[in-house]
Amino acid sequence: MKNMLVVTSGIVAMILSTATLAGPREDLLAQYAAAAKATGFSAARGQALHTQSFSGGKPDTPSCTTCHGKDTRGAGRALTGKTIEPVAASVTPTRYTDPAKVEKWFKRNCAEVLGRECTPQEKGDWLTFVIGQ
Amino acid sequence: MRIPYRPLAIGLVTLAFSALVLARAQAGDRHFFAPVADPVVKEECGSCHLAFAPSMLPARSWQRMMGELDNHFGDNASLDAATTEKITSYLVANAGDAGGQRYSSKLLKGVAAGAAPQRITELPKWVSEHRKVPDWEWRHKEVRTKANCVACHTAAEQGSYDE
């Protein structure tokens, strides 16, 4: 009986500690992984997505880099002339900490660049790429 | 009696100069449009472009714009219903024809009573105020679009649109 109590509290403690350790970025990645039934995400695939030219979206925004720039650690610029903070998490640490905001921009930007929604796999790859930048 | 020409001339020049400075200062005051103060509005309306001052368009313009966010000048900028409603009420409450906006009546001069213009840059007064800006300046790589107010009006984000 006593042993069981120790084991149970141990499990509870473990769950609690992982819950506090995982930040919003990890939660997001976990969500995308579950949705994509993915075994893992790849920063290299994310980078390819980031730099690739698409023809399905708007002609003036063929690629993520059209607005975000080629350097992930440098500022980008919207077609309106407005500066966009660097996508690299190391330079803009506030990025990717609000899941609703991340989803909002995936929705908008994938529609503009790819002309469709991004898949959970693509989202996870891209996030993995920029979080590591 | 001898007229003191010299002090008189100096006095006149000083007077003329201060009058000029004062006139300029007053002219400067003409172009103030209070910037967006609400953090949500600032975030949602100021990510892609300058969060334009609500006092630059009449309430009916904002209402129409917020009802057509899925085609916002060619982009889908739609938001969830609660956020859309919150932003709409802020824009309407602070619109150019909402009262208490000292400089809006000038900017909105010439806009038809029922019209809901969508582009600030197509308001008759805006057009006439910018008529002297040459084409090449609009096409300059630091400007690119007429919506990029800050390219020339460096204090636009603070609400000042002086030359």
Side-chain angles (χ1 to χ4, degrees), chain A residues 44-103:
Chain A
R45 274 200 308 263
Q47 181 170 26
L49 181 79
H50 189 69
T51 51
Q52 190 183 334
S53 257
F54 294 89
S55 53
K58 295 176 78 178
D60 51 355
T61 53
S63 153
C64 304
T65 54
T66 309
C67 293
H68 289 291
K70 287 197 179 96
D71 177 11
T72 54
R73 296 185 181 89
R77 200 151 85 143
L79 295 183
T80 57
K82 181 137 184 138
T83 303
I84 307 170
E85 294 194 326
V87 289
S90 64
V91 188
T92 321
T94 48
R95 272 195 183 272
Y96 323 119
T97 53
D98 176 355
K101 196 170 168 177
V102 172
E103 269 297 297

Side-chain angles (χ1 to χ4, degrees), chain B residues 35 53 71-73 79 93 129:
Chain B
N71 183 11
H72 186 63
F73 304 97
L79 296 162
E129 285 278 306

